[in-house]
Amino acid sequence: MHTETQLVQIGKNRGRITGAVSCPVYHSTAYEHPALGESTGFDYTRTANPTRQVVEQAIAELEGGEAGFACSSGMAAIQTIMGLFSKGDHLIVSLDLYGGTYRLFEEVLTRYGITFSYVDLRDLEAIEEAATPYTCGIFVESPTNPLMRVTDIRAVCERARDRGWLSIIDNTFMTPYLQRPLELGADIVIHSATKYLGGHNDVLAGLIVTKGKDLSEKVFALHNSIGAVLGPQDCWLLMRGIKTLALRMEKHQENAMALTQFLLTHPAVEEVFYPTLHSEERRIQEEQAGGYGGMLSFRVKDPVFVPEILRSLRLISFAESLGGVESLVTYPATQTHAEIPEEIRRKVGVCDKLLRLSVGIEHMDDLIGDLSQAFDRAQASIEGEGVKRDELRNSSLTQRK
Ligand SMILES: *Cc1c(COP(=O)(O)O)cnc(C)c1O
């Protein structure tokens, strides 16, 4: 079956008694036992819920894994996975990383004695240099957030496997429609399903997919023990979002490519970041993924443009998230990446001239039109300020005379 078909059919015929086409929402937290020692397969909703199970099986199939787990957020999914590690363990992590993940690692998990090294994973030798006798896991984002750097997932996972490390991929930006890390050798995939999988900026959710029976059993126990599970109503919202993933991803990508071209030629823009723009990274991306996605970043020539552009945009919202049908612009330095110390941020390239766009599914001409008018207004306002400053200086000179 093609992925598009698989996506649309999620949850159908689950209401076998009624023939419901849309999956029923089971709010029940408790499930009656037929007899002593017997179960319908459902006992208590934290352990298993019929609506949640549909979305969990769907993501496991889409990613090609053994089991899926729905969590209350992307961060809850990451925290649940981190339960696999113990005091003294060390992990190697993508240098250019979602700020909330960095905060969880550095502000919470280091207190439990787990340590992390942040490495540019495009450099395979750097992985060897960062490894210690206590390393037992590697956590990868590709393409990275916000600089869209592409990691060779297959090569990184192969190294991890050779050394007996667990490889974990945050597949939020690509989704299983474009990239399936388990097929490239990863052990675990996590998602902030709040983003493309949900797709409508209206549900907070996280997903985990595991490879193999042993690992799946361990994560099942952690999911149930920690309890950061997704509620049934949110499971249904997420399921509804996932059904249109294929159509949305195609449109997000088409628009992102058009905006990339527009930004590359605009005089106010210094640099654009999109996986097609660096030849080696493009080659890797094309080998491991079915496309480039709907996220892009760009650096403007002067930081004074930033507040003016953000003030002038009318269609594109200045808001902190990504992956929804509505286009959003983010200023990583003070929003998504504020938790990362300035020194590291600068080293990575998340500077005060960088803006990130989550390109929605609006008509591309309207998106280009909005950016274009915002750049023009920013330019005019900055020139206006300059004139005002000159006028002020001249008038004070006149007064002094
Ligand atoms: C948003 C995001 C997360 C965190 O997910 P939440 O659903 O907000 O908890 C993790 N990783 C990436 C890449 C993200 O974009």
Side-chain angles (χ1 to χ4, degrees):
M1 203 191 289
H2 289 87
T3 308
E4 289 89 332
T5 314
Q6 215 179 334
L7 290 164
V8 174
Q9 295 292 321
I10 294 171
K12 211 181 85 178
N13 297 332
R14 286 284 160 170
R16 285 187 192 93
I17 301 166
T18 62
V21 171
S22 170
C23 179
V25 182
Y26 288 87
H27 284 286
S28 189
T29 52
Y31 295 83
E32 199 175 34
H33 302 297
L36 187 64
E38 287 180 25
S39 167
T40 58
F42 300 98
D43 308 310
Y44 183 61
T45 197
R46 173 161 32 74
T47 317
N49 170 283
T51 312
R52 196 175 84 218
Q53 199 175 65
V54 173
V55 87
E56 290 178 334
Q57 282 170 357
I59 194 67
E61 277 171 32
L62 287 165
E63 289 283 6
E66 171 96 12
F69 304 92
C71 301
S72 50
S73 68
M75 294 318 303
I78 299 173
Q79 170 69 356
T80 300
I81 286 306
M82 287 298 141
L84 291 166
F85 299 96
S86 306
K87 184 176 169 187
D89 287 350
H90 172 255
L91 280 89
I92 293 171
V93 182
S94 290
L95 177 64
D96 181 16
L97 186 75
Y98 176 67
T101 309
Y102 178 86
R103 179 177 54 196
L104 174 70
F105 290 173
E106 289 305 306
E107 291 182 17
V108 182
L109 293 168
T110 51
R111 291 193 284 105
Y112 291 77
I114 302 171
T115 55
F116 303 89
S117 295
Y118 302 87
V119 170
D120 185 342
L121 296 177
R122 290 175 300 177
D123 177 6
L124 294 175
E125 292 320 305
I127 298 176
E128 303 298 327
E129 282 161 29
T132 78
Y134 304 104
T135 307
C136 53
I138 189 156
F139 187 98
V140 183
E141 271 184 35
S142 182
T144 58
N145 179 5
L147 292 175
M148 308 307 297
R149 292 184 173 134
V150 178
T151 295
D152 186 337
I153 296 175
R154 202 189 296 272
V156 167
C157 291
E158 197 178 298
R159 288 200 179 212
R161 197 173 43 242
D162 287 350
R163 288 167 160 267
W165 303 342
L166 209 58
S167 47
I168 305 154
I169 315 284
D170 183 335
N171 203 26
T172 300
F173 272 32
M174 287 285 103
T175 80
Y177 181 67
L178 293 178
Q179 178 169 281
R180 294 187 189 86
L182 298 182
E183 290 170 5
L184 300 168
D187 299 304
I188 297 172
V189 167
I190 69 102
H191 283 280
S192 168
T194 315
K195 315 295 168 56
Y196 286 107
L197 291 170
H200 296 75
N201 290 318
D202 59 8
V203 59
L204 183 75
L207 292 169
I208 303 168
V209 183
T210 46
K211 188 195 261 174
K213 197 158 176 283
D214 281 1
L215 194 54
S216 301
E217 279 171 4
K218 279 186 196 158
V219 173
F220 175 82
L222 286 167
H223 191 232
N224 185 38
S225 301
I226 294 169
V229 302
L230 192 63
Q233 188 67 38
D234 287 345
C235 287
W236 185 86
L237 273 172
L238 177 56
M239 209 184 297
R240 183 163 77 169
I242 297 176
K243 283 170 183 266
T244 55
L245 180 70
L247 290 174
R248 288 187 285 108
M249 287 314 282
E250 293 293 344
K251 185 69 177 169
H252 283 301
Q253 172 162 301
E254 189 188 335
N255 282 352
M257 291 175 101
L259 283 190
T260 297
Q261 284 313 312
F262 165 76
L263 291 166
L264 279 171
T265 55
H266 198 284
V269 176
E270 189 178 86
E271 198 174 357
V272 185
F273 302 89
Y274 190 65
T276 53
L277 298 177
H278 182 286
S279 63
E280 175 59 9
E281 287 174 42
R282 180 180 184 143
R283 187 190 64 73
I284 296 169
Q285 182 69 14
E286 287 173 354
E287 204 171 293
Q288 69 189 12
Y292 316 98
M295 295 299 299
L296 64 90
S297 296
F298 61 96
R299 245 197 268 286
V300 289
K301 290 229 164 88
D302 193 316
V304 299
F305 276 116
V306 170
E308 297 299 332
I309 290 170
L310 294 176
R311 216 193 326 269
S312 306
L313 285 168
R314 289 180 183 140
L315 184 68
I316 303 172
S317 300
F318 174 37
E320 236 169 303
S321 192
L322 65 99
V325 289
E326 301 92 354
S327 291
L328 304 183
V329 62
T330 306
Y331 187 47
T334 64
Q335 291 184 307
T336 50
H337 290 64
E339 290 83 9
I340 300 175
E342 193 183 340
E343 181 196 321
I344 300 179
R345 241 192 297 127
R346 208 166 318 130
K347 185 173 147 199
V348 175
V350 182
C351 69
D352 58 359
K353 294 190 286 185
L354 188 77
L355 287 164
R356 189 189 77 184
L357 269 180
S358 169
V359 184
I361 65 166
E362 301 91 342
H363 196 290
M364 68 175 77
D365 293 348
D366 292 327
L367 295 176
I368 290 173
D370 194 34
L371 274 173
S372 182
Q373 67 82 23
F375 283 139
D376 289 349
R377 285 165 77 100
Q379 183 74 43
S381 140
I382 287 156
E383 279 164 10
E385 285 294 315
V387 171
K388 247 190 275 163
R389 240 181 287 131
D390 288 346
E391 275 170 7
L392 228 66
R393 193 164 352 118
N394 290 341
S395 70
S396 65
L397 284 175
T398 328
Q399 274 165 15
R400 230 182 291 153
K401 259 194 258 167

